[in-house]
Amino acid sequence: MRLADGLSGGVVVAGAALLLWTASGLPDMPGQRFGPATFPTLIGIAMAAAGLVVLWRGGAERPLFSIGTLGHDRRVQVAVLWLLGGLVAMLVLWQPVGFPLLAAVYSGGLMLILGVRPLPAVFWACAVAVVVHLVFTRLLLVPLPAGPLGFLL
Amino acid sequence: MADLLAAWALVLDPEVLLVILAAAFFGLFVGAVPGLTATMATALLVPVTFFMAPLPAVAAIVACTAMAITAGDIPGALLRIPGTPASAAYTDEAYALTRAGQPELALGAGLVCAALGGLFGALVLVVAAPLLARIALGFSSFEYFWLAALGLTSAAFVSAADRAKGVVSLTLGLFIATIGLDITSGLPRFTFGSVELMGGVSFIPAMIGMFAVSEVLRNITDGTSLGTVPKVNVGNPFRGLGAVLWRYRLNVLRGSALGTTVGALPGAGGDIAAWIAYANAKRFSKTPEKFGQGHVEGIVEAGSANNSGLSSAWVPAMVFGIPGDAITAIAIGVLFMKGLNPGPRIFVEQPAMLYAIFITFFLANLLLIPLGWLAIRAARPVLAVPRNLLLPLILIFCVVGAFAINNTVFGIAVMLVLGVVAWLMESSGYPIAPVILGIVIGPLLEQNFMISMMIGDGDLLAFFARPIAAVLGVITVAVWLAPLALRLARGWRPGPHP
C-alpha cells in the first residue's frame, strides 16, 4: 500500500499543524525562557517544513494511493484483516481468554489463510503457543494470563 | 591488566557462552530467511535480554547481529533475495557466481571477509573508544547537545535517499519521545488524559512494531510466494578461498577501513558501508568490466565493509551514548535498562564490564567462521521453512515481547499502531531507522538543551561559548545548511549559452 508524495506530504503537514496547536496550549515555566512547549514546537516546525517539501514535490503525482496486492488478492486482504483485527481482539480478550488460546487461534488462523495445510497449522500453532506460554511464565516469570486453560498450564 | 582478567572471567562464564551460542544460531536463522532483517532479529531478541544479566544481554545482541548480517548472504547468493539489506549491495554479483556454478565461492568469500571485517572493526573499537572516552570525560551538556544534534542530522540525511522524508521520519521519532511527563517541569505532554501514556511510549514495543510487525505485513502484501521451497546444493565454501583472499587482500583492507569509518558515523551503519564499498571496488578494479557477471572482488570488499561497520557503530554508542545505527539504538535501550548507562563514565566506573563487551565482539566474529560454515551447509532446510508458517509464529513472539516489558496490553497496542504506521511509511518511501534514532536520542537532546539553557540563563550563544561545543556546533549548522548552499551554488552556475 503506497501513498503518493502529494498525499503523504499533506498528512505530515496536517499532523505538524495539530502538533503545533497542541504544543501552543502547554504552559510556560515560570522564570525560564524555554519550557515544555519548546521542543514540540521546534519538532512541529521541522515536520511541517519537511512535509511541505514532500507535498510540493509530489503534488502532481497520481494516483494518490495504490493498494497493490491488497486491491485484488482475496487471500492477502483476509490475511491483513486477520493480522490487524486479531491484535485488536487480543487487547480486549487478553485477560478473559488468556494467552495460549488467543495465540493458538491467532497464529493458526493466519497460517490457514496463508495456505498452510490444516494439520501442520494446528500442530505448530498449538505447540508454539504452549511452549512460549510455559517458557515465559515459568522461566522468565512474565505474568501471561492462562485464561480457561489455567488448570492445565 | 586486572580489569582485563576480570573481563575474561566474566565472558568465560558458561551462561554467557551459552547465550552467545544461542543468539548466534538465532541470528543465523533469521538472517538466512529472506525478508527478515538483522534489526528484526535484534528487536525480537530484546524482550528475552530483558531477563538476563547485563553482559549476556549485550553479548546476545552482538553475536546475533553479526551472524544475521553474514547469514543474509546465503539467500542472496542462492535465490537472489538478500537476507538482510546489508547483503543487497552484492546480491546480483553473488547470484551471478551461483549461476556460473560457484555458489561456494560467493558464500565462502562473504563469510570469511565478514569475519575479517568484523575483527578489524572490533580492533578499532577497542583502540578508539577509550581514547575518545578520555576526551569525552570533559564534555558538558553543551557538547552532548551538539553531539546528539549531529547524530540526528546524520540520521536524517545519510540514512535516507530522500532527505525531506528522512527529516519527516526523524521528527516523528522525536515527537514520540516527547510523549509523557516533561523531563524538566514534570507536566504531562500529549497524554490526552491516558495514565498509560504518562510514562511515555515504551521503546521496545515501538521498536518491535516498527521493525517486526511492519516486516510481517510487508512480506504478506508484497505479492511474492510465501511457500517457496528452493532447490540448492552448495559444496565446500573454503575450497580455493586462500588464493582469492590473497589476490584481493587490498580489497579486504580497504573495505574494512571504509566500513569502520562509515559505520562509526551516526545514522550510517553497515548497510550504507556495503554499497559504498561495492562501488569503490568497481571504481578501483583492474577489471571493472567483470562486475555484475559473477566477479568475487566486489563481494570481498563489500562483505568486509558491512561487518566492520557493524562493530564500529558501537564507538559513538559506547563513548557518547549516541547510536550509530538502528541496531546500536536498540542496544543503547538495552544498556539503559540494565543500568549500564553508555558514555565516557562507563570507561572509568566499569572497565571490566566494558572489556568483557569488547571481548564478545572478537568471540562473535571468530564464531562466524564455524557457525557460518554450518549455516551454509544447512542452507537448504533453513531456506525451506515456508514463510506462511514462519510469519504467524513471529507475530506471537512480537505479542509476548511487547507485553513482557511492562506486563501490560498497552505495549501490544503501541506495537500494533506503530507497526501499521511503519508499514505505510516504508511502502511510501519514508525510512524507519531515523524514527527509532529519534525516540532514543530525543530525550538526550531535550534534556541537554534544557540543562544548558538553565546554566546559560536562556542565552543561545552559550552553545558556542566552549571550544569543543563551538566546533561541534559549527559542523552541525554547516551540515544543516549544506543542501541549501549546494542548491544556491547550482542555481548561480552560468548555464550554456544558446
Side-chain angles (χ1 to χ4, degrees), chain B residues 181-259:
Chain B
L181 296 179
D182 174 35
I183 40 181
T184 43
S185 67
L187 280 166
R189 293 189 298 193
F190 313 110
T191 56
F192 308 105
S194 160
V195 179
E196 299 269 22
L197 281 176
M198 290 263 192
V201 174
S202 221
F203 164 71
I204 288 167
M207 182 196 64
I208 294 174
M210 300 202 95
F211 285 114
V213 173
S214 68
E215 282 284 335
V216 173
L217 274 165
R218 190 180 60 76
N219 269 281
I220 288 176
T221 55
D222 71 359
T224 55
S225 171
L226 291 166
T228 317
V229 181
K231 286 184 170 57
V232 287
N233 286 306
V234 184
N236 180 2
F238 302 125
R239 191 177 298 148
L241 197 62
V244 171
L245 289 177
W246 181 249
R247 193 183 317 146
Y248 297 118
R249 57 192 180 279
L250 195 67
N251 295 77
V252 175
L253 203 65
R254 194 170 53 203
S256 301
L258 182 118

Side-chain angles (χ1 to χ4, degrees), chain B residues 229-420:
Chain B
V229 181
K231 286 184 170 57
V232 287
N233 286 306
V234 184
N236 180 2
F238 302 125
R239 191 177 298 148
L241 197 62
V244 171
L245 289 177
W246 181 249
R247 193 183 317 146
Y248 297 118
R249 57 192 180 279
L250 195 67
N251 295 77
V252 175
L253 203 65
R254 194 170 53 203
S256 301
L258 182 118
T260 306
T261 313
V262 175
L265 293 175
D271 303 359
I272 295 168
W275 283 102
I276 301 174
Y278 184 79
N280 257 357
K282 191 174 178 183
R283 189 189 301 159
F284 295 114
S285 173
K286 286 175 188 156
T287 52
E289 71 284 353
K290 287 186 180 172
F291 276 69
Q293 295 167 16
H295 189 44
V296 78
E297 193 176 354
I299 300 173
V300 167
E301 190 152 339
S304 308
N306 61 16
N307 247 35
S308 63
L310 204 65
S311 302
S312 67
W314 285 72
V315 174
M318 294 305 287
V319 178
F320 307 116
I322 291 169
D325 58 2
I327 290 170
T328 41
I330 297 168
I332 282 183
V334 172
L335 288 172
F336 273 118
M337 276 195 314
K338 298 285 160 201
L340 274 176
N341 298 353
R345 302 282 334 156
I346 197 175
F347 288 77
V348 181
E349 288 161 4
Q350 290 171 296
M353 177 62 75
L354 199 73
Y355 288 136
I357 293 174
F358 290 163
I359 292 168
T360 62
F361 273 90
F362 288 100
L363 269 184
N365 282 296
L366 287 172
L367 267 179
L368 260 181
I369 305 274
L371 294 188
W373 175 78
L374 268 180
I376 291 170
R377 301 300 297 169
R380 192 166 177 195
V382 171
L383 290 171
V385 177
R387 277 189 291 167
N388 51 6
L389 188 73
L390 195 61
L391 296 177
L393 299 181
I394 286 174
L395 280 171
I396 293 304
F397 284 100
C398 292
V399 167
V400 178
F403 173 82
I405 298 308
N406 295 322
N407 295 334
T408 157
V409 287
F410 184 70
I412 302 174
V414 168
M415 177 194 82
L416 168 64
V417 171
L418 290 180
V420 174

Side-chain angles (χ1 to χ4, degrees), chain A residues 1 5 8 33 36 57 69, chain B residues 162 165 189 221 427-428 430 458:
Chain A
M1 187 149 144
D5 284 359
S8 68
R33 190 174 164 196
R57 241 180 10 201
T69 52
Chain B
D162 184 328
K165 288 184 174 177
R189 293 189 298 193
T221 55
S427 52
S428 305
Y430 292 85

Side-chain angles (χ1 to χ4, degrees), chain A:
Chain A
M1 187 149 144
R2 185 183 183 281
L3 306 183
D5 284 359
L7 182 61
S8 68
V11 171
V12 170
V13 172
L18 191 67
L19 169 59
L20 287 169
W21 178 71
T22 316
S24 68
L26 291 170
D28 291 331
M29 264 181 31
Q32 294 290 330
R33 190 174 164 196
F34 301 103
T38 307
F39 254 71
T41 306
L42 290 173
I43 293 165
I45 292 168
M47 191 186 275
L52 279 171
V53 172
V54 176
L55 177 67
W56 175 71
R57 241 180 10 201
E61 191 185 334
R62 293 292 181 274
L64 280 176
F65 67 91
S66 58
I67 48 176
T69 52
L70 265 178
H72 55 80
D73 191 325
R74 193 95 180 140
R75 180 175 280 185
V76 172
Q77 288 169 352
V78 178
V80 170
L81 204 66
W82 182 273
L83 192 160
L84 301 179
L87 287 177
V88 174
M90 276 200 196
L91 298 177
V92 182
L93 302 171
W94 189 253
Q95 283 300 336
V97 178
F99 174 77
L101 270 179
L102 278 175
V105 172
Y106 179 63
S107 58
L110 192 55
M111 282 178 205
L112 289 172
I113 294 165
L114 294 176
V116 178
R117 282 178 292 118
L119 206 61
V122 171
F123 170 76
W124 283 110
C126 292
V128 171
V130 170
V131 170
V132 168
H133 182 83
L134 289 176
V135 168
F136 273 79
T137 52
R138 301 281 163 85
L139 292 180
L140 304 175
L141 305 178
V142 176
L144 291 172
L149 297 181
F151 69 97
L152 271 175
L153 298 167

